[in-house]
Amino acid sequence: MKGLKILGTGRCLPDKVVTNDDMRAFVDTSDEWIRTRTGIQTRHFCAEGESTASLGVKAARLALERAGISPEDLGACVGCTCSADSAAPTVASTIQRDLGLPKHIPYFDLNAGCSGFLYGLHVTRGLLLQSDKPYALLVGAETLSRVMNFQDRGTCVIFGDGAGAVVVKLEEEAPYAYTLGAEGGDDVIYIGGYGSKEPYIHMEGQKTFRFAVEMVPWCIHELLGQSGLKLEDIDWFVLHQANKRIIDHVAKKLGMPGERFYQNIAHYGNTSAASIPIALDEMAEQGLLKRGQKLLCVGFGAGLTWGGALLEW
Ligand code: ACO
């Protein structure tokens, strides 16, 4: 089975850094509450003139440069977002325009909440299997600060803006396993948009937490079962950065050392579909990723949805 190898990554975080203390200007909260309940210390918010697409374009440019490929060899470009600037143009088509990418390949966005990047990986692989081109560009980009209710302390301290991008190659020898799913309904996480009556994020935090700590280990076991690998064979677990306590809980439940689970939620908060590609880019930058390593990525979120993929660096 042909798998996906990541060739290059990029990220873009808005310059504006908002601390937990800064959030006290909006809601009755404290640095202590946010740190202990979530692990978040700061998040980035867009300024005037920045957009989901503009962050995505910058992350995509870096990923393409670092992958060192010719854009002519791209077979697809997929944007993953639940906070698109508009229904159209899409993030992906803006990337095509701004980076002058080849026209005759698919460009589109998909929305699977915080699982979007995982859905995007599997869709991208499917597109590459049908393409005569070897590479694809996948971008997770969010400006959740634009759909946040700054009077709801249960959500506004959680989310942040940012974008991450990867260039992947379809490769014969790379391992691959995936799992995607949904448990539909609008009562647990709701994100309004495009003129809806309630244009903000609403989240039942505890229900989402319980869902995550049950589904993430399930996804990991599912991916291991499909691939015949053991927990010890995985070099890095890169989970959606929603809450430090969720990641710690999963590592403990699996009996794995926490150091194998990359975490950066302290700096960015929950950037939804952008969180895993942002984490991958940081890991690459820090020299944590070595060629040939196996990565197990799992996302979960609005939908409710979940997704996991086994990839090669
Ligand atoms: N500051 C201070 N107090 C707060 C804050 C805050 N920012 N937010 C809530 N509280 C209070 C509540 O009012 C409540 O007070 P009460 O007991 O007097 O009523 C108390 O803290 C406990 O509230 P809970 O909501 O039960 O807090 P919890 O420990 O569950 O933490 C959190 C909330 C951090 C949101 C947690 O539930 C969580 O991380 N859930 C998972 C979120 C997630 O994974 N989302 C991913 C998907 S998102 C997507 O797809 C877009």
CSV table of all heavy atoms in Angstrom, one decimal, residues 27-30 33-34 37-38 82 113-115 144 153-155 157-159 189 191 201 203-206 208-209 212 240 242-243 245-246 270 272 300-302, ligand 1:
chain,number,residue,atom,x,y,z
A,27,VAL,N,-12.8,38.5,29.9
A,27,VAL,CA,-13.6,37.6,30.8
A,27,VAL,C,-13.0,37.5,32.1
A,27,VAL,O,-11.8,37.7,32.3
A,27,VAL,CB,-13.8,36.2,30.1
A,27,VAL,CG1,-14.7,36.2,29.0
A,27,VAL,CG2,-12.4,35.6,29.7
A,28,ASP,N,-13.8,37.0,33.1
A,28,ASP,CA,-13.4,36.7,34.4
A,28,ASP,C,-12.6,35.4,34.4
A,28,ASP,O,-13.2,34.3,34.5
A,28,ASP,CB,-14.6,36.7,35.3
A,28,ASP,CG,-14.2,36.4,36.8
A,28,ASP,OD1,-13.0,36.5,37.1
A,28,ASP,OD2,-15.1,36.0,37.6
A,29,THR,N,-11.3,35.5,34.3
A,29,THR,CA,-10.4,34.3,34.3
A,29,THR,C,-9.1,34.6,34.9
A,29,THR,O,-8.9,35.7,35.5
A,29,THR,CB,-10.2,33.8,32.8
A,29,THR,OG1,-9.6,32.6,32.8
A,29,THR,CG2,-9.4,34.8,32.0
A,30,SER,N,-8.2,33.6,34.9
A,30,SER,CA,-6.9,33.8,35.5
A,30,SER,C,-5.9,33.0,34.8
A,30,SER,O,-6.2,31.9,34.2
A,30,SER,CB,-6.9,33.5,37.0
A,30,SER,OG,-7.1,32.1,37.1
A,33,TRP,N,-5.9,29.5,36.2
A,33,TRP,CA,-7.0,28.6,35.8
A,33,TRP,C,-6.7,28.1,34.4
A,33,TRP,O,-6.8,26.9,34.1
A,33,TRP,CB,-8.4,29.3,35.7
A,33,TRP,CG,-9.5,28.4,35.5
A,33,TRP,CD1,-10.3,27.9,36.5
A,33,TRP,CD2,-10.0,27.8,34.3
A,33,TRP,NE1,-11.2,27.0,36.0
A,33,TRP,CE2,-11.1,27.0,34.6
A,33,TRP,CE3,-9.7,28.0,33.0
A,33,TRP,CZ2,-11.8,26.3,33.6
A,33,TRP,CZ3,-10.4,27.3,32.0
A,33,TRP,CH2,-11.4,26.4,32.3
A,34,ILE,N,-6.3,29.0,33.5
A,34,ILE,CA,-6.1,28.5,32.1
A,34,ILE,C,-4.9,27.6,32.0
A,34,ILE,O,-5.0,26.5,31.3
A,34,ILE,CB,-5.8,29.7,31.2
A,34,ILE,CG1,-7.1,30.7,31.2
A,34,ILE,CG2,-5.6,29.3,29.7
A,34,ILE,CD1,-6.9,32.0,30.5
A,37,ARG,N,-5.9,24.1,33.7
A,37,ARG,CA,-7.0,23.3,33.0
A,37,ARG,C,-6.6,23.0,31.6
A,37,ARG,O,-7.2,22.0,31.1
A,37,ARG,CB,-8.3,24.1,33.0
A,37,ARG,CG,-8.9,24.4,34.3
A,37,ARG,CD,-9.4,23.2,35.0
A,37,ARG,NE,-10.0,23.5,36.3
A,37,ARG,CZ,-11.2,23.3,36.6
A,37,ARG,NH1,-12.1,22.8,35.8
A,37,ARG,NH2,-11.7,23.6,37.8
A,38,THR,N,-5.7,23.7,31.0
A,38,THR,CA,-5.5,23.5,29.5
A,38,THR,C,-4.0,23.4,29.1
A,38,THR,O,-3.7,22.9,28.1
A,38,THR,CB,-6.1,24.7,28.7
A,38,THR,OG1,-5.3,25.9,28.9
A,38,THR,CG2,-7.5,25.0,29.0
A,82,CYS,N,-12.0,25.3,9.5
A,82,CYS,CA,-13.4,25.5,9.9
A,82,CYS,C,-13.7,27.0,10.2
A,82,CYS,O,-14.7,27.3,10.8
A,82,CYS,CB,-13.8,24.6,11.1
A,82,CYS,SG,-12.8,24.9,12.5
A,113,GLY,N,-13.8,20.2,11.2
A,113,GLY,CA,-13.4,20.7,12.5
A,113,GLY,C,-11.9,20.5,12.8
A,113,GLY,O,-11.1,20.6,11.8
A,114,CYS,N,-11.6,20.2,14.0
A,114,CYS,CA,-10.2,20.0,14.4
A,114,CYS,C,-9.6,18.8,13.8
A,114,CYS,O,-8.4,18.6,13.8
A,114,CYS,CB,-10.0,20.0,15.9
A,114,CYS,SG,-10.5,21.5,16.7
A,115,SER,N,-10.4,17.9,13.2
A,115,SER,CA,-9.9,16.7,12.5
A,115,SER,C,-9.5,17.0,11.0
A,115,SER,O,-9.1,16.1,10.3
A,115,SER,CB,-10.9,15.5,12.5
A,115,SER,OG,-11.4,15.4,13.8
A,144,LEU,N,-9.6,31.5,14.3
A,144,LEU,CA,-10.8,31.2,15.2
A,144,LEU,C,-11.1,32.4,16.1
A,144,LEU,O,-12.2,32.5,16.6
A,144,LEU,CB,-10.4,30.0,16.1
A,144,LEU,CG,-10.4,28.7,15.3
A,144,LEU,CD1,-9.5,27.7,15.9
A,144,LEU,CD2,-11.7,28.2,14.9
A,153,ARG,N,-16.1,32.6,28.7
A,153,ARG,CA,-14.8,32.2,29.2
A,153,ARG,C,-14.4,30.8,29.0
A,153,ARG,O,-13.3,30.4,29.0
A,153,ARG,CB,-14.6,32.6,30.7
A,153,ARG,CG,-15.5,31.9,31.6
A,153,ARG,CD,-15.3,32.3,33.0
A,153,ARG,NE,-16.1,31.6,34.0
A,153,ARG,CZ,-16.0,31.7,35.3
A,153,ARG,NH1,-15.1,32.5,35.8
A,153,ARG,NH2,-16.8,31.0,36.1
A,154,GLY,N,-15.5,30.0,28.8
A,154,GLY,CA,-15.2,28.5,28.5
A,154,GLY,C,-14.6,28.3,27.2
A,154,GLY,O,-14.1,27.2,26.9
A,155,THR,N,-14.7,29.2,26.2
A,155,THR,CA,-14.2,29.0,24.9
A,155,THR,C,-13.1,30.0,24.5
A,155,THR,O,-12.1,29.6,23.8
A,155,THR,CB,-15.3,28.9,23.8
A,155,THR,OG1,-16.0,30.2,23.9
A,155,THR,CG2,-16.2,27.8,23.9
A,157,VAL,N,-10.7,31.5,25.8
A,157,VAL,CA,-9.3,31.4,26.3
A,157,VAL,C,-8.6,30.2,25.6
A,157,VAL,O,-7.4,30.0,25.7
A,157,VAL,CB,-9.2,31.2,27.8
A,157,VAL,CG1,-9.9,32.4,28.5
A,157,VAL,CG2,-9.9,29.9,28.3
A,158,ILE,N,-9.4,29.4,24.9
A,158,ILE,CA,-8.9,28.1,24.4
A,158,ILE,C,-8.2,28.2,23.0
A,158,ILE,O,-7.2,27.5,22.7
A,158,ILE,CB,-10.1,27.1,24.3
A,158,ILE,CG1,-10.9,27.0,25.5
A,158,ILE,CG2,-9.6,25.7,23.7
A,158,ILE,CD1,-10.2,26.1,26.6
A,159,PHE,N,-8.9,29.0,22.2
A,159,PHE,CA,-8.5,28.9,20.7
A,159,PHE,C,-7.5,30.0,20.3
A,159,PHE,O,-7.4,31.1,20.9
A,159,PHE,CB,-9.8,29.0,19.9
A,159,PHE,CG,-10.7,27.9,20.1
A,159,PHE,CD1,-11.8,28.0,20.9
A,159,PHE,CD2,-10.5,26.7,19.5
A,159,PHE,CE1,-12.6,26.9,21.2
A,159,PHE,CE2,-11.3,25.6,19.7
A,159,PHE,CZ,-12.4,25.7,20.6
A,189,ILE,N,-20.1,20.7,19.9
A,189,ILE,CA,-19.3,21.9,19.4
A,189,ILE,C,-20.1,22.5,18.2
A,189,ILE,O,-20.5,21.7,17.3
A,189,ILE,CB,-17.9,21.4,18.9
A,189,ILE,CG1,-17.2,20.7,20.0
A,189,ILE,CG2,-17.1,22.7,18.4
A,189,ILE,CD1,-15.9,20.1,19.6
A,191,ILE,N,-20.0,25.8,15.5
A,191,ILE,CA,-19.3,27.0,15.0
A,191,ILE,C,-20.1,27.7,14.0
A,191,ILE,O,-20.3,27.1,12.9
A,191,ILE,CB,-17.9,26.7,14.4
A,191,ILE,CG1,-17.1,25.8,15.4
A,191,ILE,CG2,-17.1,27.9,14.1
A,191,ILE,CD1,-15.7,25.3,14.8
A,201,ILE,N,-18.2,30.2,18.3
A,201,ILE,CA,-18.0,28.9,18.7
A,201,ILE,C,-18.7,28.7,20.0
A,201,ILE,O,-18.6,29.5,20.9
A,201,ILE,CB,-16.5,28.7,19.0
A,201,ILE,CG1,-15.6,28.9,17.8
A,201,ILE,CG2,-16.2,27.3,19.6
A,201,ILE,CD1,-14.1,28.7,18.0
A,203,MET,N,-19.0,25.4,22.8
A,203,MET,CA,-18.4,24.1,23.0
A,203,MET,C,-18.8,23.6,24.4
A,203,MET,O,-18.7,24.3,25.4
A,203,MET,CB,-16.9,24.1,22.9
A,203,MET,CG,-16.2,22.8,23.1
A,203,MET,SD,-14.4,22.8,22.8
A,203,MET,CE,-13.9,23.8,24.2
A,204,GLU,N,-19.3,22.4,24.5
A,204,GLU,CA,-19.5,21.7,25.8
A,204,GLU,C,-18.2,21.1,26.1
A,204,GLU,O,-17.8,20.0,25.6
A,204,GLU,CB,-20.6,20.6,25.6
A,204,GLU,CG,-21.9,21.1,25.2
A,204,GLU,CD,-22.7,21.7,26.3
A,204,GLU,OE1,-22.4,21.4,27.5
A,204,GLU,OE2,-23.6,22.5,26.0
A,205,GLY,N,-17.4,21.8,26.9
A,205,GLY,CA,-16.0,21.4,27.2
A,205,GLY,C,-15.8,20.0,27.7
A,205,GLY,O,-15.0,19.2,27.2
A,206,GLN,N,-16.6,19.7,28.8
A,206,GLN,CA,-16.5,18.4,29.4
A,206,GLN,C,-16.8,17.2,28.5
A,206,GLN,O,-16.2,16.2,28.5
A,206,GLN,CB,-17.3,18.3,30.7
A,206,GLN,CG,-16.6,19.2,31.8
A,206,GLN,CD,-17.1,18.9,33.2
A,206,GLN,OE1,-17.9,18.0,33.4
A,206,GLN,NE2,-16.8,19.7,34.1
A,208,THR,N,-16.6,17.2,25.3
A,208,THR,CA,-15.6,17.1,24.3
A,208,THR,C,-14.4,16.4,24.9
A,208,THR,O,-13.7,15.6,24.2
A,208,THR,CB,-15.2,18.5,23.7
A,208,THR,OG1,-16.4,19.2,23.4
A,208,THR,CG2,-14.3,18.4,22.5
A,209,PHE,N,-14.1,16.8,26.1
A,209,PHE,CA,-12.9,16.2,26.8
A,209,PHE,C,-13.1,14.6,26.9
A,209,PHE,O,-12.2,13.9,26.5
A,209,PHE,CB,-12.8,16.8,28.2
A,209,PHE,CG,-11.5,16.5,28.9
A,209,PHE,CD1,-10.5,17.5,28.9
A,209,PHE,CD2,-11.2,15.3,29.5
A,209,PHE,CE1,-9.3,17.2,29.5
A,209,PHE,CE2,-10.0,15.1,30.1
A,209,PHE,CZ,-9.0,16.0,30.1
A,212,ALA,N,-12.7,13.0,23.6
A,212,ALA,CA,-11.3,12.9,23.1
A,212,ALA,C,-10.5,11.8,23.8
A,212,ALA,O,-9.8,11.1,23.2
A,212,ALA,CB,-10.6,14.3,23.4
A,240,HIS,N,-3.7,16.3,18.0
A,240,HIS,CA,-4.3,17.6,17.9
A,240,HIS,C,-4.1,18.3,19.3
A,240,HIS,O,-4.3,17.7,20.3
A,240,HIS,CB,-5.8,17.5,17.6
A,240,HIS,CG,-6.6,18.8,17.8
A,240,HIS,ND1,-6.1,20.0,17.3
A,240,HIS,CD2,-7.7,19.0,18.4
A,240,HIS,CE1,-6.9,20.9,17.7
A,240,HIS,NE2,-8.0,20.4,18.3
A,242,ALA,N,-5.3,20.3,21.8
A,242,ALA,CA,-6.6,20.9,22.3
A,242,ALA,C,-6.5,21.2,23.8
A,242,ALA,O,-7.1,22.1,24.3
A,242,ALA,CB,-7.8,20.0,22.0
A,243,ASN,N,-5.7,20.3,24.5
A,243,ASN,CA,-5.6,20.5,25.9
A,243,ASN,C,-4.5,19.6,26.4
A,243,ASN,O,-4.4,18.4,26.0
A,243,ASN,CB,-6.9,20.1,26.6
A,243,ASN,CG,-7.0,20.4,28.1
A,243,ASN,OD1,-5.9,20.2,28.7
A,243,ASN,ND2,-8.1,20.8,28.6
A,245,ARG,N,-4.0,18.4,29.1
A,245,ARG,CA,-4.4,17.3,30.0
A,245,ARG,C,-4.9,16.1,29.1
A,245,ARG,O,-4.8,15.0,29.5
A,245,ARG,CB,-5.6,17.8,30.9
A,245,ARG,CG,-5.1,18.7,32.0
A,245,ARG,CD,-6.2,18.9,33.1
A,245,ARG,NE,-7.3,19.6,32.5
A,245,ARG,CZ,-8.6,19.3,32.8
A,245,ARG,NH1,-8.9,18.3,33.6
A,245,ARG,NH2,-9.5,20.0,32.3
A,246,ILE,N,-5.5,16.4,27.9
A,246,ILE,CA,-5.9,15.3,27.1
A,246,ILE,C,-4.7,14.5,26.6
A,246,ILE,O,-4.7,13.3,26.6
A,246,ILE,CB,-6.7,15.9,25.8
A,246,ILE,CG1,-8.1,16.5,26.3
A,246,ILE,CG2,-7.0,14.8,24.8
A,246,ILE,CD1,-8.9,17.2,25.2
A,270,ASN,N,-5.5,26.2,21.0
A,270,ASN,CA,-6.0,25.2,20.0
A,270,ASN,C,-6.2,25.9,18.7
A,270,ASN,O,-7.1,26.8,18.6
A,270,ASN,CB,-7.4,24.7,20.6
A,270,ASN,CG,-8.1,23.7,19.7
A,270,ASN,OD1,-7.8,23.7,18.5
A,270,ASN,ND2,-9.1,23.0,20.2
A,272,SER,N,-7.1,24.3,16.0
A,272,SER,CA,-8.0,23.5,15.2
A,272,SER,C,-7.2,22.7,14.1
A,272,SER,O,-6.2,22.1,14.3
A,272,SER,CB,-9.2,24.3,14.6
A,272,SER,OG,-10.2,23.5,14.2
A,300,PHE,N,-9.2,15.3,16.5
A,300,PHE,CA,-10.6,15.1,17.0
A,300,PHE,C,-11.2,16.5,17.1
A,300,PHE,O,-10.5,17.5,17.4
A,300,PHE,CB,-10.7,14.4,18.3
A,300,PHE,CG,-9.8,15.0,19.4
A,300,PHE,CD1,-10.4,16.0,20.2
A,300,PHE,CD2,-8.5,14.7,19.5
A,300,PHE,CE1,-9.6,16.7,21.1
A,300,PHE,CE2,-7.7,15.4,20.4
A,300,PHE,CZ,-8.2,16.4,21.3
A,301,GLY,N,-12.5,16.6,17.0
A,301,GLY,CA,-13.1,17.9,17.2
A,301,GLY,C,-14.5,18.0,16.7
A,301,GLY,O,-15.3,17.0,16.6
A,302,ALA,N,-14.9,19.2,16.2
A,302,ALA,CA,-16.2,19.6,15.8
A,302,ALA,C,-16.7,18.6,14.8
A,302,ALA,O,-16.0,18.1,13.9
A,302,ALA,CB,-16.3,21.0,15.3
B,1,ACO,N1,-11.5,30.9,33.7
B,1,ACO,C1,-12.0,30.7,34.9
B,1,ACO,N2,-13.0,29.8,35.1
B,1,ACO,C2,-13.5,29.2,34.1
B,1,ACO,C3,-13.1,29.4,32.8
B,1,ACO,C4,-12.0,30.3,32.6
B,1,ACO,N3,-11.5,30.6,31.3
B,1,ACO,N4,-13.8,28.7,31.9
B,1,ACO,C5,-14.7,28.0,32.7
B,1,ACO,N5,-14.5,28.3,34.0
B,1,ACO,C6,-15.2,27.8,35.1
B,1,ACO,C7,-16.6,27.4,34.8
B,1,ACO,O1,-17.5,28.5,34.8
B,1,ACO,C8,-16.9,26.4,35.9
B,1,ACO,O2,-17.2,27.1,37.1
B,1,ACO,P1,-18.4,26.6,38.1
B,1,ACO,O3,-17.8,25.2,38.6
B,1,ACO,O4,-18.4,27.6,39.1
B,1,ACO,O5,-19.6,26.4,37.3
B,1,ACO,C9,-15.5,25.8,36.2
B,1,ACO,O6,-14.6,26.7,35.6
B,1,ACO,C10,-15.4,24.4,35.5
B,1,ACO,O7,-15.8,24.5,34.1
B,1,ACO,P2,-15.7,23.3,33.1
B,1,ACO,O8,-16.2,23.7,31.8
B,1,ACO,O9,-16.2,22.1,33.8
B,1,ACO,O10,-14.1,23.2,33.1
B,1,ACO,P3,-13.2,22.0,32.5
B,1,ACO,O11,-12.3,21.5,33.6
B,1,ACO,O12,-14.0,21.0,31.8
B,1,ACO,O13,-12.3,22.8,31.5
B,1,ACO,C11,-12.0,23.0,29.1
B,1,ACO,C12,-12.9,23.4,30.3
B,1,ACO,C13,-10.6,23.5,29.2
B,1,ACO,C14,-12.7,23.6,27.9
B,1,ACO,C15,-12.0,21.4,28.9
B,1,ACO,O14,-13.3,20.9,29.1
B,1,ACO,C16,-11.5,21.0,27.6
B,1,ACO,O15,-10.4,21.2,27.3
B,1,ACO,N6,-12.3,20.3,26.8
B,1,ACO,C17,-11.9,19.7,25.5
B,1,ACO,C18,-11.9,20.8,24.5
B,1,ACO,C19,-11.4,20.2,23.1
B,1,ACO,O16,-10.7,19.2,23.1
B,1,ACO,N7,-11.8,20.8,22.0
B,1,ACO,C20,-11.3,20.2,20.7
B,1,ACO,C21,-12.3,20.4,19.7
B,1,ACO,S1,-12.6,22.1,19.3
B,1,ACO,C22,-12.9,22.1,17.6
B,1,ACO,O17,-13.1,21.2,16.9
B,1,ACO,C23,-13.1,23.5,16.9
